[in-house]
Amino acid sequence: MDLRFLPEDMNWICQPCGVPLEPGMVELHYVGNVFRVELPVCPQCRQVLIDEELALGKMLEVEKLLEDK
Amino acid sequence: MDQKELHALEALCIQEEPPGCQAGCPLGVNARAFVQAVGKDDLAGGRAILEKSMPLAGIVARMCEAPCEQYCKRETLGGAIAIGRLERMCIEAVPSKAKFLKLPPKSKKVAVIGAGPSSLALANDLAKKGHPIHVYHTESGPGGWLRNLTDTVLKLEVIDQELKRLESFGVKFHPVKVLDYALCTEEYDAVYIGQDDELAADLLAMIGPADGETCALDQKGWFTGGLQAEGDPYRFIMAVSQGREAAISIDRFLQGASLTASRVKPRNGKTDLFVQTKDLSELKRIEPADQAGYTREEAVEEALRCIDCQCLECVRNCVYLAEYKSYPKVYARRIYNNSAIVKGVHQANTFINSCSLCRQCEVICPNDFSMADLCLQARQQMVVEERMPPSAHWFGLEEMKSAQGESRLLSHAQDQQDSAALFYPGCQLAGIRHLQTVKLYNELCAIEPKTGIWLDCCGAPAYWSGRQEDFEIMVEGFRNDWQSMGKPRLILACSTCLKLFRDNLPEIESVSVWKLLAEQQLVKKNIGKNALALSDPCTSRDDVETQGAVRSILQQLEQPLAPLEMSGKLTECCGYGGLMAGTDPALGRKVVEARVKQTESVMLTYCAMCRDRLALTGKPVLHLLDLLYPETALEAATPAESISARRVNRRRLKQIMAERCGKDELPQRYDWENIELVISQALEIVMEERHILEDDVRRVLHDYKQSGRHIAHGSENRKLASSRIGAATFWVEFYEEGDTFHLLRCWSHRMSIHQPDTGGR
């Protein structure tokens, strides 16, 4: 799994923090597996953005892969 | 399932049984594959198939009397395929490309007395195995009576060509004046006496009766064959077959092995392959313009008459079985292997989880093979072993939870302290036709005022998804509920609920609402309507009583019916059963598409889920209630109810029924229910596909309104909010206009997000 998932459009502001999201490391958990990935994150409150393309693309693919193991 | 159970199951599926022609071939030639190759004008391929099973194919293909043709299924449909003629044409048209392999030489020698067809076949088979073979023949040359035939039947050069091939395998030919006993010297470890040649009287006198299976004689190491009399219709091919059987015996004898242990017996035409011929029309056998034989074009045309005998009865009728491009015998093995995997990818998970469990295959299969049992057991095993993919049946289970929770209601009728009967409409009728459900309840109360109401889900999603333990707990709960109501009779509208109650709670008197209505005097006439194609729900397959009651209602309403072949006991699933559409939405779609193509007429059903699944295709479909109660009827063209609307309808029905029964138990109102949404039609479709409910979206937006937490676009008027609801995180992209939320996009994922150092969300 590619560990960097930053959307083309990074122009997102965390609210109510009021600061732009930045690349940051988070963990994705599924059926007992853990992945460390780089995603847009609020540097203050750690709110994470998972965009549609990632959720329905690579993420779904990995979910299915893990389920069939 | 253990190996033994697997083998028993595999044996039920007869698709791999040989076709009649192959079973009727004394050499077991795959004539079906051969004829199919000729039909494709692939003569080289055809010849290769012949050479695989035929010794001395150059001679045998020209001389065989084709006993196989007696077993051809075309026999009564224009005449058997002329397999003999096709073989002859093929062998003459293309040269051999086969490379004959010979095993390393062995030391034990075999004497072959006589050189008729049986002897040559035997010499061929044993020489290939490496045995030194000595063939004794009269001075006219090897071949026996084959050498006396005219050129149009068999040219000498063909015989000589095959003899040369035998010599290349190391067969030694010895001309002698007479084929007598003196040749059977002690230097030979085994002797074969080919009676299809001119044997001397002293040798003939030595031969007693031969064993029918092994061709063995009383003398140890002696074998015989070629017993057919001149004039026998299969003289040639039976001699070759006996030579082959004797060769098997001699090979075993020389190795000191049993002559009979696990020996494959000739089938003599016997096969269990089932071949459906009812839809085939007659096609006359192609007669060759020149009696000497077929031209290539004639042969191809003749071969194209071949039925290509296969069973595949279940596969032909089931989109799911056809989707995976094989048949139950292979599927059973695939599922067994999938269960046996400890590590690695379980590639059959989706396959196992997408069978609709409709059991049509059981009815169609000549041996009652059940894919439903196979898949359901595999699912139960996956659940027990904790390797059931959590997403496989997720949405169906969510629906169940909602129907058993927020939308559940159990009540006596208004002003009644007890119930003589309880109406159990089922969660789908409640979700899809809630106003008609009320109407139906009123009718039932008119028949029996002490009719209470039970809104619930029968637990089918738990059962279908293999969650047997959960399901049994539910059943226990249903029993308690029923007892708490004074053990009344249950009146059910849904075939699935009815079946599950009957199978699991036989102590409850459960009856179909349609049976009850059929017994009433129905005065409503439905005159002047077009014939409708009645599609029985798959869970009514064995319920002759309910199916009959529905037809009786239609008769009373004077509603004519259009024919629909796969109905009644043979009926088909709408793609929802077994949670197929949840596991594999595209397959579920294919199933309904195929179903609606089976009739030009407007369809009719008495299962709410079937009605909406079939209507997904755009096909006009009516529910039986539309005919019974025209005042609440919906048009046949009414689109399917969305998953979001179903949830809302169930809550509404609960509210109406609770008020109707004077029950305080109104459905819980949620803060998020009032959130106003604007959703484009295109997005509605996307949400339906992604199983995202308006309820889910409202909950996300409610969370956002409460907390103010969201992600706003830096330059455009777009916001993102997300919430974890159950096993998924839902994301909504929107903009606000006053109190109204305009949805732009929504999606979900199952992975949960965690901070490397803190908890998840």
Side-chain angles (χ1 to χ4, degrees):
Chain A
M1 185 167 172
D2 188 350
L3 298 180
R4 205 176 146 89
F5 290 114
L6 302 173
E8 259 179 51
D9 183 357
M10 280 291 286
N11 188 9
W12 292 99
I13 315 292
C14 179
Q15 296 294 357
C17 301
V19 294
L21 302 190
E22 295 172 358
M25 293 305 290
V26 295
E27 282 180 7
L28 295 178
H29 292 204
Y30 195 56
V31 288
N33 296 270
V34 177
F35 300 93
R36 279 175 65 88
V37 293
E38 194 175 14
L39 288 168
V41 178
C42 169
Q44 272 180 33
C45 73
R46 307 296 297 168
Q47 172 160 225
V48 178
L49 168 59
I50 307 244
D51 72 343
E52 187 178 22
E53 195 193 334
L54 172 61
L56 301 176
K58 201 74 193 171
M59 217 157 154
L60 184 64
E61 199 181 299
V62 173
E63 284 173 6
K64 285 189 170 165
L65 209 72
L66 293 175
E67 287 194 337
D68 285 346
K69 261 194 177 165
Chain B
M1 182 162 58
D2 58 28
Q3 281 273 4
K4 217 173 131 189
E5 289 168 315
L6 171 69
H7 293 321
L9 205 56
E10 283 181 316
L12 288 180
C13 178
I14 40 135
Q15 166 61 13
E16 287 176 13
E17 279 283 296
C21 51
Q22 185 176 5
C25 173
L27 304 176
V29 169
N30 189 348
R32 177 182 61 190
F34 163 73
V35 175
Q36 288 293 309
V38 175
K40 295 186 184 94
D41 198 22
D42 175 17
L43 297 188
R47 178 163 185 144
I49 291 164
L50 296 181
E51 286 174 335
K52 206 172 156 195
S53 310
M54 277 182 180
L56 316 166
I59 297 174
V60 175
R62 285 177 171 88
M63 289 296 298
C64 181
E65 301 98 339
C68 52
E69 293 180 14
Q70 301 169 86
Y71 305 100
C72 177
K73 292 275 177 189
R74 262 270 170 235
E75 179 62 42
T76 54
L77 291 160
I81 304 295
I83 302 169
R85 274 191 168 142
L86 292 178
E87 288 179 354
R88 193 181 177 96
M89 187 284 310
C90 176
I91 220 83
E92 281 174 357
V94 288
S96 175
K97 281 187 185 158
K99 286 199 178 88
F100 294 97
L101 294 172
K102 190 189 154 190
L103 292 176
K106 299 189 172 88
S107 57
K108 292 180 177 169
K109 290 163 70 177
V110 181
V112 179
I113 317 296
S118 79
S119 299
L120 297 183
L122 172 123
N124 174 79
D125 287 6
L126 286 177
K128 276 192 193 169
K129 293 205 174 247
H131 298 291
I133 307 295
H134 295 266
V135 178
Y136 293 93
H137 60 88
T138 57
E139 282 170 339
S140 56
W145 60 271
L146 294 178
R147 301 193 81 89
N148 307 329
L149 300 168
T150 60
D151 270 7
T152 48
V153 180
L154 187 66
K155 289 191 178 97
L156 278 175
E157 62 186 74
V158 172
I159 301 176
D160 291 339
Q161 216 172 353
E162 293 293 351
L163 293 175
K164 221 180 264 172
R165 200 202 303 273
L166 287 180
E167 278 174 332
S168 74
F169 296 154
V171 175
K172 300 271 187 295
F173 289 96
H174 306 287
V176 289
K177 286 221 158 19
V178 278
L179 299 166
D180 59 7
Y181 177 53
L183 299 169
C184 310
T185 61
E186 286 195 353
E187 70 174 299
Y188 294 113
D189 298 281
V191 172
Y192 175 77
I193 300 165
Q195 297 189 50
D196 47 348
D197 207 347
E198 287 167 23
L199 304 179
D202 71 325
L203 184 55
L204 278 171
M206 301 286 299
I207 305 170
D211 182 277
E213 187 187 1
T214 64
C215 306
L217 289 167
D218 283 345
Q219 294 92 329
K220 196 167 181 221
W222 280 36
F223 299 83
T224 191
L227 304 165
Q228 283 65 36
E230 212 176 318
D232 184 304
Y234 304 119
R235 178 191 183 194
F236 170 82
I237 194 64
M238 289 316 294
V240 171
S241 168
Q242 284 165 8
R244 169 153 283 183
E245 291 301 319
I248 293 168
S249 294
I250 290 176
D251 184 46
R252 287 177 169 220
F253 172 75
L254 294 176
Q255 292 180 53
S258 160
L259 298 190
T260 51
S262 53
R263 186 172 178 134
V264 181
K265 291 191 177 120
R267 285 176 167 264
N268 298 318
K270 201 191 152 303
T271 175
D272 287 327
L273 184 70
F274 175 83
V275 183
Q276 182 58 267
T277 53
K278 71 177 165 65
D279 296 329
L280 294 173
S281 45
E282 200 176 287
L283 269 179
K284 281 263 175 264
R285 195 178 214 192
I286 306 299
E287 288 303 324
D290 177 350
Q291 275 307 308
Y294 282 136
T295 61
R296 189 165 182 148
E297 290 71 27
E298 286 168 339
V300 171
E301 205 183 332
E302 171 66 5
L304 287 174
R305 292 173 62 240
C306 175
I307 293 166
D308 189 16
C309 289
Q310 312 268 350
C311 178
L312 298 179
E313 281 299 290
C314 55
V315 179
R316 272 190 252 273
N317 285 286
C318 174
V319 171
Y320 160 74
L321 289 173
E323 176 81 3
Y324 287 87
K325 312 225 179 309
S326 198
Y327 44 87
K329 186 171 187 167
V330 174
Y331 295 151
R333 166 78 50 182
R334 206 176 279 177
I335 288 174
Y336 175 81
N337 289 343
N338 193 74
S339 301
I341 295 170
V342 180
K343 279 188 175 175
V345 180
H346 293 84
Q347 289 180 337
N349 279 357
T350 305
F351 173 63
I352 291 167
N353 282 326
S354 52
C355 170
S356 71
L357 313 177
C358 85
R359 299 186 182 274
Q360 185 197 49
C361 51
E362 280 175 46
V363 179
I364 290 176
C365 174
N367 290 332
D368 308 339
F369 192 106
S370 173
M371 276 307 289
D373 286 344
L374 189 61
C375 289
L376 190 57
Q377 277 170 22
R379 291 180 199 180
Q380 288 167 352
Q381 191 184 345
M382 286 159 82
V383 170
V384 169
E385 292 171 2
E386 295 183 344
R387 50 179 184 79
M388 175 58 92
S391 71
H393 306 111
W394 167 75
F395 191 72
L397 293 166
E398 287 293 312
E399 285 281 271
M400 177 184 72
K401 257 189 256 169
S402 164
Q404 292 181 345
E406 57 174 5
S407 309
R408 182 179 173 278
L409 180 71
L410 180 62
S411 170
H412 296 301
Q414 192 168 22
D415 301 329
Q416 301 291 343
Q417 304 308 311
D418 58 349
S419 291
L422 270 178
F423 177 42
Y424 195 106
C427 62
Q428 297 303 342
L429 187 66
I432 293 168
R433 300 289 178 112
H434 70 293
L435 294 177
Q436 290 184 342
T437 308
V438 177
K439 174 77 184 158
L440 189 51
Y441 177 67
N442 292 342
E443 295 284 323
L444 294 175
C445 285
I447 300 166
E448 167 55 69
K450 286 190 170 190
T451 301
I453 183 81
W454 189 354
L455 302 179
D456 211 330
C457 164
C458 66
Y463 175 70
W464 285 336
S465 66
R467 287 158 172 84
Q468 191 59 20
E469 208 184 314
D470 295 354
F471 178 65
E472 279 163 19
I473 293 168
M474 280 170 211
V475 168
E476 200 46 48
F478 298 150
R479 183 182 289 115
N480 293 338
D481 289 341
W482 169 69
Q483 283 169 346
S484 75
M485 296 299 280
K487 302 186 180 179
R489 170 152 98 133
L490 220 53
I491 302 165
L492 301 103
C494 167
S495 293
T496 305
C497 304
L498 181 59
K499 182 165 170 49
L500 286 183
F501 269 91
R502 281 181 175 164
D503 287 353
N504 297 284
L505 291 158
E507 64 269 40
I508 301 181
E509 186 196 345
S510 300
V511 62
S512 162
V513 71
W514 315 121
K515 172 86 166 65
L516 206 73
L517 293 180
E519 288 162 2
Q520 306 303 310
Q521 284 299 80
L522 299 170
V523 284
K524 295 121 189 164
K525 300 272 171 164
N526 196 46
I527 301 160
K529 287 282 167 72
N530 293 328
L532 302 172
L534 178 62
S535 178
D536 297 288
C538 62
T539 41
S540 79
R541 185 177 310 289
D542 299 319
D543 190 353
V544 182
E545 184 187 76
T546 300
Q547 292 182 353
V550 169
R551 284 157 178 82
S552 153
I553 290 173
L554 294 169
Q555 212 166 16
Q556 288 193 58
L557 297 178
E558 296 179 5
Q559 171 60 55
L561 288 182
L564 183 66
E565 196 191 344
M566 303 315 266
S567 65
K569 213 168 169 43
L570 290 171
T571 196
E572 292 184 0
C573 177
C574 65
Y576 182 76
L579 299 177
M580 172 194 269
T583 303
D584 189 342
L587 182 63
R589 186 80 192 200
K590 271 193 198 174
V591 167
V592 273
E593 297 281 359
R595 179 60 165 168
V596 299
K597 280 198 189 113
Q598 293 171 13
T599 177
E600 296 288 308
S601 307
V602 173
M603 292 181 87
L604 170 67
T605 183
Y606 46 101
C607 163
M609 183 50 98
C610 287
R611 158 38 241 190
D612 268 18
R613 292 276 318 161
L614 295 167
L616 278 181
T617 61
K619 178 88 178 175
V621 188
L622 289 167
H623 191 280
L624 182 55
L625 290 172
D626 298 326
L627 301 184
L628 278 167
Y629 308 124
E631 61 276 23
T632 55
L634 299 182
E635 292 293 321
T638 308
E641 202 68 297
S642 72
I643 51 174
S644 294
R646 287 180 202 178
R647 284 279 174 104
V648 174
N649 290 343
R650 277 189 211 110
R651 289 200 290 267
R652 277 194 197 139
L653 179 65
K654 175 174 175 172
Q655 180 160 6
I656 296 169
M657 294 311 293
E659 283 166 3
R660 168 96 170 57
C661 297
K663 194 107 172 159
D664 302 331
E665 197 186 319
L666 293 177
Q668 194 190 337
R669 297 288 302 175
Y670 302 101
D671 296 341
W672 44 259
E673 280 184 70
N674 294 327
I675 285 183
E676 266 187 63
L677 300 178
V678 176
I679 307 173
S680 70
Q681 224 172 13
L683 187 57
E684 262 178 16
I685 294 167
V686 168
M687 287 170 64
E688 189 86 7
E689 278 172 3
R690 295 179 184 175
H691 285 142
I692 298 174
L693 297 166
E694 287 177 22
D695 281 2
D696 299 325
V697 171
R698 287 197 172 92
R699 287 168 72 173
V700 171
L701 294 173
H702 180 72
D703 287 352
Y704 150 71
K705 272 178 79 171
Q706 294 292 102
S707 66
R709 196 176 152 89
H710 68 283
I711 302 169
H713 195 267
S715 59
E716 293 163 23
N717 181 20
R718 294 192 276 142
K719 291 178 177 177
L720 287 173
S722 69
S723 294
R724 187 81 180 171
I725 303 171
T729 300
F730 293 86
W731 287 84
V732 182
E733 186 175 320
F734 61 96
Y735 67 90
E736 290 166 273
E737 203 172 50
D739 284 338
T740 306
F741 290 87
H742 293 257
L743 300 201
L744 297 169
R745 295 189 297 167
C746 33
W747 61 94
S748 70
H749 55 80
R750 306 178 67 83
M751 284 190 171
S752 55
I753 307 162
H754 298 250
Q755 301 304 332
D757 48 349
T758 63
R761 52 167 277 232

